[in-house]
Amino acid sequence: MYSTKNPEKCLPQDGVPLEDLAQRLGGRLDGLSQGVVINGVASLSDAQKGNITFLSDSKNLEKNLEDLSKSHASAVIAPEKTKPLPIPALRFENPYLGLAKALSIFYPEILPTKGIHPTAFVHERAFVHPTASIGPLAVVSANAKVEAYAQIEAQVFVGCGAKIGESAHIYPHVVVREGCIVGDRSILHSGVIVGSDGFGFTPTSTGHLKIPQVGIVEIGSDVEIGANVTIDRATMGKTIIGPGTKIDNLVHIAHNVVIGRNCIIVAQVGLSGSTIMEDQVTLAGQVGTVGHVSIGKGATVAARGVVT
């Protein structure tokens, strides 16, 4: 039986004493904290009494310090090395890590519903684990597999023989076409298309003849893919997205591209066919590659760079 989400789970938790929050986040408490209770996280400009705010160690630090002096926040997550602050602080070597943990505490992830919504279509030859969630108007085609605790939201299409891994989260209006694989705990945001045909044609005397694209896309575990990303299936074999890679919105990945582990690909990047990216590569916004090039481990390509 499909059950609906409890909207109260979307609300922040009750207040947490600052001393307890420091222990839970692993930060060093700096300043007087007695009686300080935190009930949410907010930006410097929006924070009110009871909120903890955030101070990064960016090049805008001086401006942020000025804004902090005017803030109504009760506490701040701050870099370890900044000067004394006007309100109690939780100090971190990496303040973004503290921020991420705080947001997880006050705005916990909503647990997926279990079961198949009555308006979804699940083929009789598909496998859906009993702990998985299939949302309204979703389609799970023949021989597809949806593993334990996977969350398929509204109007998702999962093609024949496709596989959605354990605890994967597929947001509304995603298409995972036939034979393609999404790894465990991976996240696909709205509008992602996995397994569209690669752009393969050969000229003939009568026009351009389509080359059948018969491969698949294989997405590893712990990958996150932003909205409206398109990933083409291989002509033959696999287009591969390695484990831990993070892809921003509006990226295009062509057929037979191979992306390694823990890469970062920022918005509006275009990767031509058979590009190879080794592990831990970073591509900044609007980078492009021509086909059949390799980018070595740990390389960074700056914004609007082209690899030829």
Side-chain angles (χ1 to χ4, degrees):
M1 179 66 67
Y2 186 91
S3 59
T4 58
K5 297 175 182 177
N6 181 352
E8 292 181 359
K9 292 183 179 179
C10 299
L11 299 175
Q13 293 183 346
D14 293 335
V16 180
L18 186 58
E19 297 93 334
D20 294 349
L21 186 62
Q23 290 184 344
R24 293 173 69 175
L25 300 185
R28 181 178 68 85
L29 185 56
D30 179 22
L32 298 176
S33 60
Q34 187 174 4
V36 177
V37 175
I38 303 301
N39 56 29
V41 186
S43 66
L44 284 167
S45 58
D46 295 333
Q48 301 297 321
K49 183 179 179 180
N51 293 160
I52 189 167
T53 190
F54 172 72
L55 188 68
S56 74
D57 53 1
S58 69
K59 56 188 175 182
N60 297 320
L61 179 59
E62 289 302 320
K63 174 64 166 59
N64 290 339
L65 286 169
E66 180 182 342
D67 292 341
L68 180 64
S69 68
K70 303 172 185 176
S71 175
H72 298 291
S74 295
V76 60
I77 294 168
E80 184 64 61
K81 296 180 181 179
T82 51
K83 61 188 182 183
L85 299 172
I87 58 176
L90 299 186
R91 303 275 190 170
F92 293 86
E93 289 293 336
N94 177 1
Y96 284 100
L97 179 59
L99 175 64
K101 290 181 176 180
L103 290 170
S104 296
I105 287 173
F106 288 101
Y107 304 93
E109 183 178 1
I110 299 170
L111 295 176
T113 57
K114 297 178 182 179
I116 300 170
H117 192 276
T119 65
F121 171 79
V122 176
H123 194 279
E124 61 184 7
R125 292 201 305 273
F127 169 80
V128 176
H129 193 277
T131 61
S133 169
I134 310 296
L137 301 176
V139 173
V140 181
S141 303
N143 301 318
K145 293 184 70 176
V146 180
E147 300 287 7
Y149 302 105
Q151 186 172 6
I152 307 296
E153 294 209 21
Q155 296 184 311
V156 168
F157 175 84
V158 180
C160 294
K163 178 182 176 182
I164 308 298
E166 185 173 328
S167 298
H169 190 166
I170 314 297
Y171 280 91
H173 298 288
V174 169
V175 172
V176 180
R177 280 188 45 186
E178 59 274 12
C180 295
I181 299 169
V182 177
D184 297 346
R185 300 174 302 281
S186 287
I187 300 169
L188 276 58
H189 290 277
S190 294
V192 169
I193 307 293
V194 176
S196 48
D197 277 5
F199 192 68
F201 299 88
T202 187
T204 72
S205 59
T206 58
H208 297 292
L209 178 67
K210 181 178 178 65
I211 300 171
Q213 307 290 297
V214 300
I216 66 167
V217 175
E218 183 176 300
I219 297 171
S221 57
D222 302 298
V223 170
E224 184 157 358
I225 300 176
N228 295 324
V229 170
T230 57
I231 306 175
D232 289 347
R233 66 178 54 248
T235 305
M236 296 177 286
K238 298 177 180 179
T239 300
I240 297 175
I241 314 296
T245 286
K246 313 300 181 187
I247 302 173
D248 198 0
N249 301 335
L250 295 169
V251 168
H252 174 65
I253 298 170
H255 55 194
N256 293 94
V257 167
V258 176
I259 296 173
R261 293 174 173 267
N262 298 318
C263 294
I264 293 288
I265 301 176
V266 185
Q268 298 185 346
V269 164
L271 300 179
S272 295
S274 300
T275 294
I276 296 175
M277 289 172 53
E278 297 184 9
D279 297 346
Q280 299 172 347
V281 170
T282 297
L283 303 182
Q286 297 187 327
V287 163
T289 70
V290 301
H292 301 271
V293 297
S294 295
I295 303 173
K297 181 178 180 178
T300 296
V301 183
R304 294 193 172 184
V306 180
V307 182
T308 63

